[in-house]
Amino acid sequence: MTTPVLLDPISGRPLVQMSRQVLSDGDSRWPVLDDIAYLRTGLAGPSRAAELRQAALAAIDAGDERTALALLLTDQDSHAPLSAPSTATTLAVVDAVRAQQATLRGAMRALNFGPVADYFAHRTSTPTFLSGLALLAHAGRPRGAVVEMACGIGHFLRELSAHGVPALGVDLVFAKLWLARRFVATDSMLVCADASHVPFACPPATTVFCHDAFYFFADKAQSAQCWMQLAGDGGSVLVGHAHSALVAQSVAGSPLTPAGYAALLPGCAMFDDAELTTSALACERAPRRDIDALGAADAVAMVWHGSPQEPQQLALEGSRDAWWPEILQPPAATPLRLNPLLGTRNGCADPQWPSPRFAAEYAPQAGYLGGPMPSPQLIARAAHGMHDDVEIAALARRRVLVDVPERW
């Protein structure tokens, strides 16, 4: 992977490493902690970003990197369900995680993730995660790196890296990126920044990916323009699980109509996001849909391909056969375990949802988690990976068998 050039988010000038923990364009300085550049400016709305940045730099200058890290872990976005944790709490989290005495779920609870912690703990079992994998499959294996916007704690970054695809994650919340670094996507490049004003430049043929987040964005048009430019010649922009304004549903943010989304990525291919979930389970392509056929879809997905020589529609025609089914399941040698969500009832897998809220949102579309419980012998075999075992591979696609991070 050609390392992206980080830019000062205010001046636009290239950033250079002044020290292990500080970047600068020659005038301004920005903290880098646990190899995560903090380039948040508050452009997405009111924030304490500038104050935290200066406080973190002051702690770094005083030789107190631990406090600098704890300060950035108190930052949140405008959709955070709970108040920010105290610095005393985040200091304790830093110490516990570094000593490998904390689990991912315990760290999220301490950092006041609230119900978002349930979502992140079990995200890879949800229908929306499967639709995200299918969206990546329908765009074909990336020619270059993948940049995931609003990457959360790095679930898709983990999958991409496991399949040998260089991945970079961008999120507005430093704490999410730090958990990605420590538990989920330990080798990915991570940048804390506003995804609609991305402070770096990438080589051509970059894939920009944003899943189950775009409807939150305040300036969707600015984001789409930024991402198409970032993708460059021969690159792609993939936007998935974008809730539709045509369907009554309890979602945060500001959803658009399918036509509204399509207008932001001219010439893009459109999909019904629920059909992408089905596609992932069956390991088959989902049909492209005209905008008029998406009126009843709860959420939609888009694939936009840039081309240096051809009109957009011709570029899409040339990519109709793009298909990357390998991303729909872990690599063959990945150790798998029984999904922690699953209990047993009458010999069948019985999902034990972490909360009524989680169940209400995901259970109706997650019937794939049911069925006969795998035998102890099969579960034992899965601990050594799928290899050529068709039954284990099918259970992995259905998320009955999963790859979970260490200290999950």
Side-chain angles (χ1 to χ4, degrees), residues 3 21 26 29 31 73 86-87 112 114 148 151 161 163 166 189 209 258-259 278 284 286 293 299 327 353 374 382 407:
T3 303
Q21 297 164 340
R29 298 192 305 153
L73 290 175
S86 67
T87 305
N112 283 2
E148 184 184 1
C151 69
S161 295
H163 286 84
M189 183 176 178
F209 175 62
T278 302
E284 296 177 352
I327 193 62
W353 305 107
R407 293 184 291 121

Side-chain angles (χ1 to χ4, degrees), residues 44-224:
S47 77
R48 299 166 51 230
E51 294 177 10
L52 282 174
R53 170 188 158 208
Q54 294 304 325
L57 287 169
I60 290 170
D61 292 342
D64 190 356
E65 175 264 350
R66 174 173 166 267
T67 294
L69 179 57
L71 286 166
L72 295 187
L73 290 175
T74 66
D75 202 9
Q76 294 181 317
D77 62 28
S78 59
H79 298 285
L82 301 178
S83 59
S86 67
T87 305
T89 296
T90 58
L91 281 168
V93 173
V94 169
D95 293 341
V97 169
R98 286 181 168 178
Q100 298 191 0
Q101 294 174 345
T103 64
L104 171 60
R105 289 171 295 161
M108 288 192 291
R109 284 193 298 271
L111 292 171
N112 283 2
F113 275 36
V116 177
D118 288 337
Y119 171 71
F120 281 144
H122 301 288
R123 186 181 189 188
T124 59
S125 298
T126 64
T128 57
F129 189 75
L130 294 179
S131 69
L133 293 178
L135 181 60
L136 288 164
H138 281 76
R141 185 178 177 91
R143 295 170 54 193
V146 173
V147 177
E148 184 184 1
M149 304 298 179
C151 69
I153 66 170
H155 297 92
F156 285 109
L157 301 177
R158 178 182 176 89
E159 296 289 338
L160 290 162
S161 295
H163 286 84
V165 175
L168 182 157
V170 179
D171 202 280
L172 199 62
V173 180
F174 185 88
K176 294 176 184 178
L177 296 170
W178 186 70
L179 293 175
R181 168 70 70 234
R182 287 290 178 166
F183 291 97
V184 183
T186 56
D187 297 327
S188 296
M189 183 176 178
L190 304 171
V191 178
C192 185
D194 181 351
S196 65
H197 298 78
V198 182
F200 51 78
C202 284
T206 293
T207 296
V208 181
F209 175 62
C210 180
H211 195 70
D212 198 8
F214 192 51
Y215 51 94
F216 282 115
F217 284 39
D219 193 343
K220 297 177 181 61
Q222 167 65 30
S223 298

Side-chain angles (χ1 to χ4, degrees), residues 3-19 21-32 36-41 53 57 189-193 197-201:
T3 303
V5 177
L6 294 178
L7 307 175
D8 187 296
I10 297 174
S11 73
R13 295 194 295 263
L15 291 169
V16 297
Q17 201 95 29
M18 288 184 64
S19 69
Q21 297 164 340
V22 177
L23 296 170
S24 177
D25 69 342
D27 294 320
S28 300
R29 298 192 305 153
W30 303 86
V32 183
I36 307 168
Y38 186 79
L39 304 181
R40 185 177 178 183
T41 62
R53 170 188 158 208
L57 287 169
M189 183 176 178
L190 304 171
V191 178
C192 185
H197 298 78
V198 182
F200 51 78

Side-chain angles (χ1 to χ4, degrees), residues 244 246 256-265 268 270 291-292 294 300:
S244 172
L246 296 180
L256 303 179
T257 64
Y261 286 122
L264 300 180
L265 297 169
C268 65
M270 300 284 292
I291 292 173
D292 292 343
L294 292 170
V300 299

